[in-house]
Amino acid sequence: MKADLHVHTTASDGTLTPSKIVDLASAREIDVLAIADHDSVDGLTEARDAAEKVGIRLLPAVELSAVQGSADVHVLAYFVDAADPRLLERLEGLRAARMRRAEAMVRALGEAGFPVSVDDVLALSDGGAVGRSHIARALVAAGAADSVSDAFARLIGRDRPYYVAKDSPSPREVVGAIRELGAIPVLAHPGVTRADELLDELISAGLGGIEAYHADHTPAQRTHYARIAAERGLLVTGGTDYHGPGAPNPELGSVHVPEDAVRAILAAGEGL
Ligand code: AMP
Ligand code: FE
Ligand code: FE
Ligand code: ZN
């Protein structure tokens, strides 16, 4: 059983539409797919309809922003109800924070002479949740960076001069809110976030799983987080964090997620 449980679309900073992602997943013989856009469920209806047509099991998900100190922490929520007004209100708040952050970053870049505007960035996000990826693409289009990776490395990555933190809630609060919404909160790519010290607190807040098999995790990190999950009775998930062709992540479906882990999260979804 092939699964990719962490994929982005044009509803946030992916470059393929939900239907295109589902078509690609079908071509790659993926059986279980989770669309998990940043702070948006807007791609889920289109993805669900497309997945039904090609016989892919689609898990409705979202990747919620949280901030601990100055560090971004992402919390995946699996089996969200995309029509729940409480969820939609929360997501609107998070997208408003994204918008304010994008404006602040564009202002700082502009003051330093980088020729990007909020309009450029919004044209690239095209109604989806705006993020640094869109700012990076605007910088590339303006000739101010060689590539998206270059823009992150020199200008807008964490600890770079034009990085601005989002004013997002704490990971603990987000985990609790996901539980209240009847979904399963999973700590995204902890090896990237270096969020190990948060685990106890998040587990007591209701954390349901750890994304051990993430594209950016080394084999040692995958083993480390899978072991912690087993010890703490948590689900393990994984995926490519695919953002479309040309983005740095590997091909859709190319991160191995063990079949028993996939079965366990499917069973947990049935039990909600
Ligand atoms: P944001 O949520 O707006 O802070 O942006 C985070 C997103 O930026 C991640 O989900 C990735 O899509 C992208 N990103 C972060 N670091 C890099 C990088 N070094 N190169 C390319 N994309 C990146
Ligand atoms: Fe992203
Ligand atoms: Fe993430
Ligand atoms: Zn992601």
Side-chain angles (χ1 to χ4, degrees), residues 9-225:
T9 76
T10 46
S12 65
D13 58 356
T15 57
L16 297 181
T17 62
S19 313
K20 288 245 167 65
I21 286 287
V22 169
D23 288 346
L24 187 57
S26 177
R28 298 196 174 282
E29 300 181 325
I30 289 170
D31 305 291
V32 184
L33 176 72
I35 302 282
D37 274 304
H38 299 285
D39 302 326
S40 173
V41 291
D42 290 352
L44 292 181
T45 307
E46 182 183 321
R48 183 198 59 203
D49 293 349
E52 243 166 51
K53 285 196 190 111
V54 295
I56 286 179
R57 176 84 188 255
L58 183 90
L59 308 192
V62 59
E63 182 174 21
L64 294 174
S65 300
V67 170
Q68 179 79 21
S70 63
D72 283 309
V73 176
H74 293 168
V75 185
L76 295 156
Y78 287 97
F79 304 103
V80 285
D81 172 3
D84 187 327
R86 297 169 302 165
L87 173 65
L88 296 174
E89 190 184 333
R90 175 170 288 273
L91 296 177
E92 279 193 10
L94 291 168
R95 290 198 299 268
R98 286 183 163 276
M99 189 63 217
R100 292 193 296 275
R101 194 266 299 249
E103 284 166 354
M105 287 180 65
V106 165
R107 198 177 313 123
L109 284 160
E111 280 164 9
F114 291 96
V116 283
S117 72
V118 170
D119 285 349
D120 296 338
V121 173
L122 291 183
L124 288 162
S125 64
D126 195 23
V130 67
R132 281 183 290 154
S133 302
H134 304 113
I135 299 175
R137 287 173 210 155
L139 286 162
V140 174
D146 294 337
S147 65
V148 164
S149 304
D150 176 48
F152 273 92
R154 285 191 299 114
L155 304 171
I156 62 170
R158 191 118 189 270
D159 305 323
R160 297 291 105 195
Y162 306 102
Y163 175 84
V164 175
K166 296 194 283 281
D167 54 356
S168 309
S170 72
R172 185 192 171 81
E173 204 265 311
V174 171
V175 165
I178 293 168
R179 276 291 178 201
E180 273 180 30
L181 291 165
I184 302 177
V186 172
L187 182 60
H189 43 67
V192 179
T193 314
R194 297 191 203 94
D196 284 33
E197 66 280 6
L198 288 174
L199 273 170
D200 283 335
E201 186 185 340
L202 297 186
I203 291 169
S204 71
L207 190 72
I210 302 180
E211 189 184 40
Y213 303 101
H214 184 271
D216 294 339
H217 283 176
T218 63
Q221 285 174 319
R222 294 177 199 197
T223 309
H224 169 71
Y225 290 110

